[in-house]
Amino acid sequence: MSEEILKKYPELALEGLPTVKQRLEICNKAVTQMAIEASQVCIKNWGRSLSDITHLVYVSSSEARLPGGDLYLARGLGLSPATQRVLLYFVGCSGGVAGLRVAKDIAENNPGSRVLLATSETTIIGFKPPSADRPYDLVGVALFGDGAGAMIIGSDPIEGTEKPLFELNTAIQEFLPDTEKKIDGRLTEEGISFKLARELPQIIEDNVEDFCDKLMSVAGFQNKEYNKLFWAVHPGGPAILNRIEKRLDLLPEKLNASRKALMDYGNASSNTIVYVLEYMLEEAIKIRKDGGDDPEWGMLLAFGPGITFEGILARNLCN
């Protein structure tokens, strides 16, 4: 949101007007442009040709149109018309890890494939003018942010050309029965209306340990060995991070990357896991320069509507 947008669309600052058309005019264009820019940087860092991308997974909860943003992203990047596309809409904060899970499955089942995962979000789709009757809205305005992210996922990396960062070993998804109203989003004439239950951090705390133990057992870790892992947790908010740290008895530095991403960019929904992983890589470089060792195994976690838990047991390949 900006002064420029409010001058062009003054109706967005008024309560009760049907503005979904105007919001989508802004959002559909904005998320595509941000996704293109993030993807171009990612592809440049990857070092291989655009024509080597075989699949596209696109994630967004900030647009609605037919055809979807996956097609506009593919065209904007100049991908081949034969690129196979998957679109994940309205997955919310778990979208980034969900996208990784889907990309992992595609890569493992299509030898030689390279999957571009792109996420893009803007809060304008759910913007509300300030109201004394809804002081809690200010929490959302302060917490959520815009942005985009991108990654390349594949199997059997080409030595000397590709430098893999993480191995996505095992991915699982689980929803908590009877919690579908705890993260409630609806597309209305005034845009998307979100309601987050106050007990959401407590619900995540109560269920995160069992969920993580299922993933950890795959790599042979015993229960409670949480500090032997690295942790890339979607920072839904400070309360959620604090509750996870407390329940798992994590050392404070274990969630440094998540807290830094939240501080710098806010909760940018599906994008935020990309920022967390980026900060983790920066931290790992500093640790190795100082002669230390960063953990080989770790956890990627996110929580979204459902309430849905997404988790990936990953191996750090940068050591």
Side-chain angles (χ1 to χ4, degrees):
M1 185 53 70
S2 65
E3 291 289 340
E4 183 183 357
I5 288 174
L6 285 175
K7 285 179 181 176
K8 186 174 180 181
Y9 301 96
E11 57 271 33
L12 295 180
L14 300 175
E15 195 82 35
L17 294 181
T19 54
V20 67
K21 178 182 177 183
Q22 294 90 322
R23 292 167 190 269
L24 289 175
E25 279 180 11
I26 302 167
C27 295
N28 289 345
K29 181 180 178 181
V31 291
T32 298
Q33 187 56 41
M34 288 191 292
I36 289 171
E37 292 175 12
S39 298
Q40 287 172 336
V41 172
C42 176
I43 292 165
K44 183 179 178 181
N45 291 337
W46 172 44
R48 288 182 61 182
S49 169
L50 185 72
S51 61
D52 291 331
I53 294 173
T54 58
H55 296 74
L56 171 65
V57 177
Y58 175 66
V59 184
S60 182
S61 297
S62 304
E63 62 159 279
R65 54 184 160 173
L66 246 132
D70 57 323
L71 180 73
Y72 292 101
L73 174 58
R75 287 190 59 188
L77 288 172
L79 293 177
S80 164
T83 303
Q84 298 180 53
R85 311 184 318 274
V86 174
L87 178 61
L88 298 180
Y89 261 1
F90 297 108
V91 193
C93 292
S94 58
V97 180
L100 276 170
R101 173 174 53 79
V102 171
K104 163 184 160 61
D105 286 348
I106 292 171
E108 289 174 344
N109 287 285
N110 294 272
S113 63
R114 289 298 179 266
V115 186
L116 172 63
L117 168 64
T119 64
S120 192
E121 310 283 4
T122 174
T123 56
I124 288 177
I125 192 72
F127 172 81
K128 291 182 180 179
S131 170
D133 297 328
R134 298 190 312 271
Y136 191 69
D137 284 357
L138 294 175
V139 176
V141 173
L143 178 62
F144 291 95
D146 300 353
M151 305 186 223
I152 299 287
I153 297 92
S155 59
D156 302 320
I158 298 175
E159 198 170 331
T161 302
E162 296 175 307
K163 296 179 180 178
L165 305 173
F166 298 97
E167 174 194 286
L168 305 178
N169 184 281
T170 304
I172 62 174
Q173 181 198 66
E174 197 170 289
F175 74 89
L176 305 179
D178 303 318
T179 63
E180 58 269 19
K181 297 297 184 184
K182 303 302 180 183
I183 304 174
D184 190 41
R186 297 167 187 269
L187 189 59
T188 72
E189 291 182 342
E190 296 178 66
I192 291 182
S193 175
F194 277 112
K195 291 182 181 178
L196 304 178
R198 291 182 182 272
E199 62 268 29
L200 179 60
Q202 183 66 56
I203 293 171
I204 290 173
E205 179 186 347
D206 291 343
N207 292 275
V208 70
E209 193 168 6
D210 287 344
F211 183 77
C212 291
D213 287 347
K214 291 176 186 176
L215 274 172
M216 289 174 63
S217 63
V218 175
F221 286 98
Q222 301 300 313
N223 289 353
K224 315 302 180 189
E225 291 185 320
Y226 304 120
N227 283 303
K228 291 185 178 180
L229 306 175
F230 64 80
W231 291 84
V233 180
H234 168 79
I240 290 174
L241 294 179
N242 293 341
R243 297 277 188 146
I244 292 172
E245 183 177 280
K246 171 189 163 191
R247 175 54 62 102
L248 303 181
D249 198 21
L250 296 177
L251 297 170
E253 62 268 22
K254 288 294 180 178
L255 296 181
N256 276 355
S258 295
R259 294 190 188 280
K260 183 169 172 51
L262 182 63
M263 182 173 65
D264 289 350
Y265 302 109
N267 177 349
S269 195
S270 63
N271 308 311
T272 321
I273 197 66
V274 185
Y275 310 153
V276 173
L277 290 171
E278 193 111 44
Y279 281 141
M280 280 191 57
L281 293 171
E282 292 177 7
E283 281 186 11
I285 291 171
K286 290 178 184 176
I287 290 170
R288 288 195 294 273
K289 278 185 178 179
D290 294 337
D293 290 320
D294 46 327
E296 179 183 9
W297 289 92
M299 202 79 72
L300 280 61
L301 290 178
F303 319 99
I307 294 171
T308 300
F309 280 46
E310 291 276 358
I312 300 178
L313 179 70
R315 193 159 67 94
N316 182 359
L317 300 179
C318 299
N319 289 327

